[in-house]
């Protein structure tokens, strides 16, 4: 690593900022010096965040980059404010995803996990984790994440595993975990259950099949509509609405199930939608979650007709062995032949797919482990309703509450080998079920030693639901748990409110009797420029590491944070990276200029502050106050915007430019020293404010400042709001800046070349304004290209052949005679007015033609209206300019 300067000698800053030469150097310096790590300090207020653990299989994507940048900004901010700060990093074992990776490796070797056996297979998974599991944490370092890597956790490390067992046993003993037959979502490709929220529903084109079920001992028949005719083989009833007069006389009668010749009842249930299809619904309790609930209400049998490969089983009669989609075709053909197929309608409907492999999931009844949710959901709802836990923005309250109020029992068992194995054993001698935190050696009931552990593992979200306290040492009563729990804020995407956030809330309330965090900051997704979710299939993904290598981590961080508000999705526009890199270069060039002009600077009393000094110090005080407030309110985008505008527009474009005469005038040492002092104070303070957003750039500049012995910027104190508020200075400086901008605008509109000096006449009847402008004459001459500036209390008449601008209480005139060919300019403007008039007339006719407005796409019509408005505004501006020249 490049040696870090002790600053005893002046450092020559490079002419251009090269992030590739800076970022690795400073990250290593921070980590080696232990700046990310803090021990428990009871005398300080605590601030803590737990990182949403990315999958151990994962690589950094833009969602991670945004999520981690937000957490890093908050962590660096609070660290600089003097908090005892902890940001816990870690990764998730990602049961299905990781097992799939290793199984794919085995397949390439011509073997599988069954041939290897459970123990050998798990050894292979751990080997894979050791080889590839640290990839994403290394990438997070590239982003600048200042987490406490000394406290890095993994959801299957020893401490987290102990916490999982403790939580499971506690819930089991309270009767909140049970095993039973229930409808679950089965993935026939991953060969495991998945939870309701792991099912992704996508609209797919399909069919609605209308089937005729004859009424026993009658000429009547009931017609039912279904999208899955193959499941009719497992029907155990047909349901109608109890108030549907069409079918009232049939309730309680019996139907003959086509193809199976099995008798099934006609039942009445309020769940039935009378308006959908025929108003009669086939009930297959073993293969539909709504039918399952209805079946429980009416004590209907559950007939499984599909196996775990999604093939028809022995209960499907002659269709046994067929794939479910092959069976659908065969069943439809046979129904048609039997006269039981009434019609087929095209019908688009939502199809549930596995979030991991995109296979169509199969609802089926299975014996699984569940968490009883009603007792856990109630307190988790209360803490949001009474304000103990708040979502930012608060609109996500409704989304969370809506889901929690309608939650079903949580299926926590997975038919995998990689994961936390369910801590339940079965005595093969007496059948006793044993749940224990430590592996039992014998049956507590009969003393037998032949115990067999449940083969299933827990849902990955069970262990990550304990993350806010398991990572701090629970169930042990550690100093970290006492100091840092509850954590201060959770930062996460809107897409895992149900997956993770809700589970942390109810698990923490149950185990810790306290919310895991008082605030949940929700950010949106990162979409492509067209507003689409990034995916491999669309080929629209952006690799953050490639962005970092091309533009630098600070550029990516600042771009992801600014231009957006909390909770909203962000569209990724590549051109914004260029704009942000320009901002970085602007900061670098301004800082380099200031530092180059500090070679003779020594701290000491300032001379009298000028208007521009008072103004920039007042503006700096405002940015400290508002920037701090934005971060406290989690409005990071607003904080970044404020800094951007202050640095670019006020500090660089105005203050630095206006101090140049004093810096270059070495004869007036006091004035030069005062300018140096203010420049340094504002630059140093602004770098501190900017550091959480752009840590690498600010560290590199900080190390070049004349602040010997102060070390890294990241351990400096956050600026306090200085006593510089000066409303009078801000008002007077605004007048001066507006005057200069107005003159610049006139020059641009009249095409006066930058090198041409102009005479400037200003009418300022108000004495205060006049004095401000008189004192600002040197600045007006320098920044507005003036040959001379005359300021009047009154004018007898408007100067001939001049362009003008009107501000509040002030009129500005630029006599242009001799600076341009008036006749030529008048002719040119007249031609432009004629051309604009012709375009307006043509567009007006087009937009008043119903043939165009009624047939053209709305977007095209809107664009033409917008063009017309632009032409009308341009014509008015040209006519005004012509008046000024006449």
């Amino acid at each position: 690593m490049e040696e870090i300067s002790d600053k005893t000698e002046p450092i020559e800053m490079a002419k251009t900022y090269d992030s590739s030469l800076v970022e690795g150097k400073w990250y290593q310096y921070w980590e080696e010096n232990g700046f990310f790590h803090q021990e428990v300090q009871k005398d300080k207020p605590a601030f803590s965040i737990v990182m949403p653990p990315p999958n151990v299989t994962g690589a950094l994507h833009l969602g991670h980059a945004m999520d981690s940048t937000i957490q890093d900004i908050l962590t660096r901010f609070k660290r600089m404010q003097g908090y005892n700060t902890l940001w816990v990093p870690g990764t998730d074992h990602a049961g299905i995803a990781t097992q799939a990776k290793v199984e794919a490796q085995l397949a390439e070797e011509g073997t599988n996990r069954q041939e290897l056996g459970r123990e050998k297979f798990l050894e292979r998974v751990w080997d894979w984790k050791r080889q590839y599991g640290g990839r994403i944490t290394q990438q997070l370092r590239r982003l600048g994440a200042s987490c406490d890597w000394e406290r890095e956790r993994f959801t299957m490390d020893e401490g987290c595993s102990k916490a999982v067992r403790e939580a499971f046993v506690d819930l089991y003993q309270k009767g909140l975990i049970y095993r039973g037959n229930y409808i679950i979502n089965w993935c026939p490709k991953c060969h495991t259950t998945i939870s309701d929220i792991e099912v992704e529903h996508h609209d797919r084109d399909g069919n609605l099949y209308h089937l005729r079920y004859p009424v026993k001992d009658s000429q009547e028949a009931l017609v039912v509509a279904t999208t899955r005719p193959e499941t009719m083989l497992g029907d155990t009833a047909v349901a109608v609405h109890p108030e549907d007069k069409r079918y009232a006389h049939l309730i309680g009668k019996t139907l003959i199930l086509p193809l199976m010749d099995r008798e099934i009842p006609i039942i009445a249930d309020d769940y039935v939608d009378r308006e959908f299809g025929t108003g009669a619904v086939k009930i297959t309790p073993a293969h539909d979650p709504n039918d399952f609930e209805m079946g429980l209400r009416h004590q209907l049998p559950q007939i499984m007709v599909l196996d775990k490969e999604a093939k028809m089983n022995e209960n499907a009669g002659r269709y046994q062995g067929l794939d479910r989609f092959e069976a659908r075709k065969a069943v439809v053909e046979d129904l048609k032949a039997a006269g039981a197929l009434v019609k087929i309608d095209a019908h688009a409907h939502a199809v549930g797919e596995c979030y991991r492999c995109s296979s169509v999931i199969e609802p089926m009844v299975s014996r699984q482990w569940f968490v009883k949710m009603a007792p856990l959901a109630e307190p988790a709802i209360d803490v949001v309703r009474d304000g103990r836990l708040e979502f930012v923005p608060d609109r996500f309250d409704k989304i969370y509450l809506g889901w929690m109020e309608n939650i079903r029992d949580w299926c926590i068992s997975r038919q995998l080998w990689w994961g936390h194995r369910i801590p339940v054993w079965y005595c093969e001698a007496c059948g006793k079920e044993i749940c224990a935190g430590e592996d039992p050696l014998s049956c507590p009931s009969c003393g037998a030693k032949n115990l067999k552990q449940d083969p299933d593992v827990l849902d990955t979200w069970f262990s990550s639901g304990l993350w806010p306290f398991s990572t701090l040492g629970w169930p042990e009563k550690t100093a970290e748990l006492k100091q840092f729990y509850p954590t201060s804020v959770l930062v996460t995407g809107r897409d895992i409110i149900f997956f993770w956030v809700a589970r942390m809330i109810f698990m923490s309330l149950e185990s810790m009797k306290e919310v895991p965090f008082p605030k949940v900051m929700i950010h949106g997704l990162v979409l492509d420029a067209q507003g689409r979710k990034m995916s491999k299939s669309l080929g629209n993904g952006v690799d953050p590491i490639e962005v970092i290598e091309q533009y630098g981590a600070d550029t990516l961080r600042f771009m992801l944070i600014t231009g957006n508000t909390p909770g909203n999705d962000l569209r990724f526009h590549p051109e914004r990276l260029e704009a942000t890199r320009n901002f970085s270069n602007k900061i670098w060039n301004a800082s380099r200029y200031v530092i180059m002009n500090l070679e003779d600077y020594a701290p000491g009393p300032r001379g009298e502050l000028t208007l521009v000094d008072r103004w920039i110090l007042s503006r700096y005080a405002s940015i400290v106050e508002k920037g701090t407030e934005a971060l406290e309110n989690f409005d990071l985008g607003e904080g970044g915007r404020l800094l951007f505008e202050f640095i670019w527009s006020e500090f660089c474009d105005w203050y630095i430019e206006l101090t140049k005469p004093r810096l270059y005038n070495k004869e007036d040492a006091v004035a030069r020293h005062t300018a140096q002092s203010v420049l340094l104070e504002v630059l140093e303070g602004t770098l501190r404010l900017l550091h959480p957003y752009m840590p690498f750039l600010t560290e590199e500049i900080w190390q070049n400042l004349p602040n010997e012995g102060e070390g890294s910027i990241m351990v400096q104190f956050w600026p306090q709001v200085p006593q510089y508020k000066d409303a009078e200075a801000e008002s007077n400086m605004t007048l001066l800046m507006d005057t200069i901008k107005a003159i610049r605008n006139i020059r641009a509109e009249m095409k006066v070349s930058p090198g041409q000096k102009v005479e400037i006449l200003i009418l300022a009847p108000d004495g205060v304004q006049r004095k401000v402008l008189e004192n600002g004459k040197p600045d007006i001459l320098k920044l507005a290209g003036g040959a001379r500036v005359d300021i009047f209390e009154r004018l007898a008449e408007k100067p001939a052949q001049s362009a003008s601008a009107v501000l509040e209480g002030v009129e500005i005139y630029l006599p242009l005679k001799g600076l341009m060919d008036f006749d030529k300019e008048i002719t040119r403007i007249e031609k432009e007015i004629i051309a604009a008039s012709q375009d307006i007339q043509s567009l007006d006719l087009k937009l008043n033609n119903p043939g165009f407005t009624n047939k053209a796409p709305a977007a095209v019509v809107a664009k033409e209206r917008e063009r017309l408005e632009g032409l009308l505004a341009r014509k008015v501006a040209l006519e005004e300019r012509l008046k000024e020249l006449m």
Side-chain angles (χ1 to χ4, degrees):
M1 180 180 130
E2 182 182 322
E3 187 177 344
I4 305 303
S5 169
D6 62 5
K7 302 184 194 175
T8 55
E9 297 292 334
I11 300 172
E12 178 63 35
M13 288 177 69
K15 289 185 178 179
T16 56
Y17 176 67
D18 187 342
S19 60
S20 66
L21 300 177
V22 166
E23 294 178 352
K25 172 183 71 174
W26 289 122
Y27 198 90
Q28 187 178 348
Y29 168 66
W30 295 329
E31 198 165 0
E32 287 181 353
N33 282 276
F35 294 145
F36 302 157
H37 176 76
Q38 289 189 5
E39 293 294 333
V40 170
Q41 299 174 60
K42 296 178 182 178
D43 59 331
K44 287 186 175 182
F47 178 84
S48 58
I49 293 182
V50 290
M51 175 186 290
N55 288 352
V56 72
T57 60
L60 188 69
H61 58 63
L62 284 175
H64 290 131
M66 174 185 274
D67 198 76
S68 296
T69 297
I70 294 170
Q71 292 172 79
D72 192 48
I73 290 171
L74 294 173
T75 301
R76 288 177 183 271
F77 167 54
K78 288 297 179 180
R79 188 186 290 122
M80 293 175 78
Q81 281 192 318
Y83 282 75
N84 187 195
T85 306
L86 172 63
W87 180 16
V88 180
T91 49
D92 192 286
H93 65 279
I96 295 176
T98 308
Q99 180 158 320
K101 290 274 188 185
V102 179
E103 289 201 66
Q105 278 187 345
L106 294 176
E108 289 176 5
E109 298 168 15
T111 186
N112 56 50
R113 66 181 167 113
Q114 284 77 18
E115 288 184 16
L116 218 58
R118 187 166 192 147
E119 189 175 332
K120 292 288 185 184
F121 176 75
L122 289 176
E123 287 177 11
R124 283 290 299 264
V125 183
W126 278 107
D127 287 343
W128 187 94
K129 190 264 177 187
R130 281 186 284 271
Q131 185 175 357
Y132 300 105
R135 176 175 54 168
I136 195 166
T137 57
Q138 291 304 317
Q139 292 176 331
L140 288 168
R141 285 173 165 89
R142 293 284 306 274
L143 188 68
S146 65
C147 6
D148 188 344
W149 295 111
E150 294 179 40
R151 301 181 192 267
E152 184 179 352
R153 302 303 300 268
F154 176 53
T155 49
M156 282 183 61
D157 65 27
E158 186 179 347
C160 288
S161 296
K162 184 177 182 181
V164 165
R165 279 207 174 184
E166 181 86 9
F168 186 98
V169 171
D170 180 58
L171 292 170
Y172 179 93
Q173 291 174 347
K174 290 174 179 174
L176 294 172
I177 285 182
Y178 67 93
R179 191 163 65 125
N181 289 322
Y182 205 80
I183 192 83
I184 51 93
N185 304 298
W186 179 261
C187 176
K189 184 174 180 181
C190 296
H191 290 103
T192 184
T193 57
I194 60 174
S195 67
D196 289 346
I197 52 177
E198 290 168 325
V199 178
E200 295 183 344
H201 291 90
H202 300 283
D203 287 335
R204 299 283 185 253
D205 290 332
N207 293 314
L208 191 62
Y209 301 85
H210 295 256
L211 313 180
R212 180 183 287 108
Y213 288 22
V215 178
K216 183 182 177 183
D217 300 329
S218 168
Q219 298 300 309
E220 284 191 86
L222 261 182
V223 176
V224 301
T226 180
T227 57
R228 303 192 62 203
E230 70 278 8
T231 63
M232 66 160 291
L233 306 173
D235 284 0
T236 55
V238 167
V240 297
H241 194 279
E243 296 175 6
D244 193 332
K245 294 177 182 178
R246 293 174 296 176
Y247 305 122
H249 66 292
L250 294 176
I251 295 171
K253 293 191 176 182
T254 301
L255 296 169
I256 306 298
L257 181 64
L259 304 183
M260 303 301 284
D261 294 327
R262 188 169 67 243
E263 294 185 9
I264 59 175
I266 301 170
I267 63 173
D269 196 285
D270 289 331
Y271 172 78
V272 177
D273 181 358
R274 287 178 281 183
E275 306 302 319
F276 179 77
T278 63
V281 182
K282 59 186 282 302
I283 305 301
T284 320
H287 293 291
D288 182 278
N290 297 312
D291 292 3
F292 176 80
E293 299 291 347
M294 208 181 303
L296 292 179
R297 289 196 291 273
H298 296 273
Q299 293 84 49
L300 298 175
Q302 300 163 353
I303 301 176
M304 297 267 294
V305 294
L306 283 149
D307 64 18
K308 292 184 176 179
E309 300 292 330
K311 292 182 178 179
M312 310 310 289
N313 66 14
E314 66 279 4
N315 294 326
R318 62 180 179 272
Y319 305 99
Q320 182 176 359
L322 289 179
D323 171 81
R324 54 186 164 168
F325 300 118
E326 293 173 350
R328 180 176 300 175
K329 294 176 184 176
V331 165
V332 170
E333 286 301 316
D334 290 348
L335 287 168
K336 185 177 180 182
L341 179 64
V342 178
K343 64 176 180 174
I344 303 174
D345 293 332
H347 178 67
H349 61 289
V351 175
E353 298 174 0
C354 173
Y355 80 107
R356 178 59 57 187
C357 70
S358 299
S359 298
V360 175
I361 63 100
E362 193 59 58
M364 60 175 61
V365 172
S366 176
R367 191 159 177 77
Q368 302 286 342
W369 287 96
F370 295 88
V371 173
K372 195 178 292 182
M373 284 309 306
L376 297 173
E378 187 176 347
I381 289 168
D382 290 343
V383 295
V384 173
R385 283 202 170 135
D386 64 23
R388 279 178 284 162
L389 188 147
E390 299 177 9
F391 283 85
V392 180
D394 60 9
R395 68 175 182 273
F396 289 100
D397 287 8
K398 294 186 182 69
I399 296 171
Y400 168 84
L401 291 171
W403 187 70
M404 289 297 289
E405 287 165 356
N406 295 283
I407 198 168
R408 297 199 308 174
D409 284 357
W410 173 20
C411 177
I412 54 171
S413 46
R414 297 290 181 269
Q415 289 65 54
L416 303 170
W417 286 355
W418 173 244
H420 293 282
R421 197 163 174 182
I422 289 174
V424 171
W425 289 258
Y426 308 102
C427 177
E428 295 185 328
C430 70
K432 173 77 173 175
E433 185 177 284
I434 308 152
C435 178
E438 301 290 337
D439 293 9
L441 300 175
S442 61
C443 175
S445 182
C446 70
K449 295 184 182 296
N450 51 336
L451 307 180
K452 186 176 182 181
Q453 188 174 0
D454 194 297
D456 288 352
V457 301
L458 287 165
D459 178 9
T460 299
W461 299 102
F462 190 96
S463 53
S464 53
L466 312 177
W467 195 245
F469 50 96
S470 66
T471 52
L472 298 174
W474 186 89
E476 304 301 324
K477 295 179 180 178
T478 63
E480 286 80 6
L481 191 65
K482 186 175 181 180
Q483 175 77 346
F484 295 114
Y485 188 90
T487 59
S488 304
V489 61
L490 175 73
V491 176
T492 192
R494 63 173 173 79
D495 53 331
I496 58 171
I497 291 175
F498 311 138
F499 280 97
W500 190 45
V501 179
R503 287 175 173 147
M504 281 190 290
I505 295 171
F506 65 70
M507 295 287 265
S508 296
L509 288 170
E510 181 62 26
S511 296
M512 298 296 294
K513 311 305 177 190
E514 198 170 359
V515 294
F517 25 72
K519 303 277 187 183
V520 181
M521 181 187 173
I522 299 292
H523 60 76
L525 306 179
V526 184
L527 310 176
D528 70 8
Q530 298 175 46
R532 301 173 302 175
K533 190 174 181 180
M534 293 185 180
S535 68
K536 288 181 181 177
S537 60
L538 289 174
N540 62 345
V542 176
D543 184 347
I545 298 301
E546 289 182 6
V547 174
I548 290 170
E549 288 172 352
Q550 183 176 357
Y551 293 95
D554 289 332
T555 294
L556 176 61
R557 289 166 61 109
F558 200 78
M559 187 280 294
L560 287 172
I561 295 305
T562 53
N564 200 30
T565 52
N568 290 336
D569 293 339
L570 174 74
R571 292 196 180 194
F572 183 90
H573 294 282
E575 56 270 22
R576 288 190 60 222
L577 288 168
E578 293 288 351
T580 305
R581 182 162 62 181
N582 291 342
F583 179 50
S584 298
N585 291 334
K586 184 91 168 177
I587 297 165
W588 179 262
N589 292 334
S591 301
R592 183 171 180 270
Y593 167 80
V594 172
I595 291 166
M596 284 170 58
N597 283 281
L598 294 175
E599 70 275 4
D600 61 341
Y601 175 76
R606 291 171 179 161
E608 184 179 354
L609 296 175
T610 65
L611 169 63
V612 72
D613 292 333
R614 290 164 50 217
W615 166 75
I616 197 65
L617 289 170
S618 182
R619 296 300 304 136
Y620 168 64
S622 292
I623 203 67
V624 172
E625 181 180 39
K626 292 177 181 176
T628 304
E629 184 181 329
L631 287 175
E632 296 285 9
N633 293 331
F634 307 110
D635 196 351
L636 279 57
E638 174 64 5
R641 184 194 68 79
L642 289 167
L643 278 168
F644 179 92
E645 291 186 357
F646 174 75
I647 293 168
W648 190 295
S649 300
E650 297 178 331
F651 185 63
C652 294
D653 286 358
W654 287 101
Y655 187 69
I656 285 179
E657 289 301 317
L658 290 170
T659 55
K660 283 180 178 178
R662 283 187 288 161
L663 285 178
Y664 297 159
N665 182 8
K666 295 190 177 182
E667 293 180 5
D668 190 341
V670 174
R672 174 176 163 82
H673 177 270
T674 301
Q676 289 174 320
S677 174
V678 175
L679 276 166
L680 180 58
E681 179 180 354
V682 175
L683 175 61
E684 184 192 84
T686 304
L687 288 173
R688 296 188 198 210
L689 296 174
L690 187 63
H691 175 71
Y693 297 88
M694 294 179 144
F696 296 109
L697 174 68
T698 52
E699 184 71 84
E700 180 71 10
I701 296 170
W702 181 265
Q703 295 296 333
N704 284 279
L705 290 175
N707 49 16
E708 187 176 339
E710 291 194 10
S712 171
I713 190 172
M714 72 174 289
V715 293
Q716 304 306 311
F717 282 109
W718 188 257
Q720 299 297 305
V721 180
Q723 300 299 310
Y724 290 144
K725 289 292 186 70
D726 190 332
E728 180 186 48
E730 291 202 36
S731 174
N732 291 344
M733 190 63 193
T734 298
L735 172 63
L736 184 59
M737 291 190 299
D738 286 348
T739 300
I740 293 169
K741 284 187 279 189
I743 297 167
R744 286 173 169 176
N745 288 340
I746 294 171
R747 292 180 61 113
E749 288 174 5
M750 295 301 175
K751 295 183 171 51
V752 177
S753 68
Q756 287 182 298
K757 299 295 183 182
V758 296
E759 183 183 354
I760 301 166
L761 306 179
I762 301 175
L763 174 62
D766 181 82
V768 174
Q769 289 183 320
R770 196 163 59 253
K771 184 178 179 182
V772 170
L773 295 171
E774 285 284 358
N775 292 336
K777 273 186 179 182
D779 300 325
I780 297 171
L781 286 168
K782 174 178 168 47
L783 297 183
R788 56 177 291 177
V789 180
D790 293 314
I791 301 170
F792 302 93
E793 183 178 357
R794 61 181 64 84
L795 280 172
E797 58 182 359
K798 176 182 172 180
Q801 293 186 323
S802 64
S804 65
V806 178
L807 305 177
E808 190 174 340
V810 173
E811 294 178 23
I812 302 165
Y813 298 94
L814 266 64
L816 298 174
K817 188 174 182 180
L819 294 176
M820 59 192 298
D821 186 329
F822 277 81
D823 292 337
K824 186 176 179 181
E825 181 65 9
I826 288 169
T827 301
R828 184 187 69 79
I829 292 173
E830 286 175 339
K831 285 180 180 178
E832 286 195 31
I833 290 171
I834 291 168
S837 298
Q838 289 171 344
D839 288 343
I840 289 167
Q841 186 177 15
S842 174
L843 261 181
D844 205 36
L845 286 170
K846 188 176 184 180
L847 289 167
N848 282 303
N849 178 4
F852 170 72
T853 53
N854 294 336
K855 293 178 182 178
V860 173
V861 176
K863 193 170 183 180
E864 292 292 76
R865 292 193 193 283
E866 188 179 333
R867 188 170 155 233
L868 178 60
E869 289 174 10
L871 283 167
L872 288 166
R874 174 169 170 72
K875 184 185 175 190
V876 169
L878 287 167
E879 288 171 342
E880 288 296 319
R881 195 180 304 172
L882 189 62
K883 286 178 187 176
E884 291 174 344
L885 297 175
M886 299 297 280

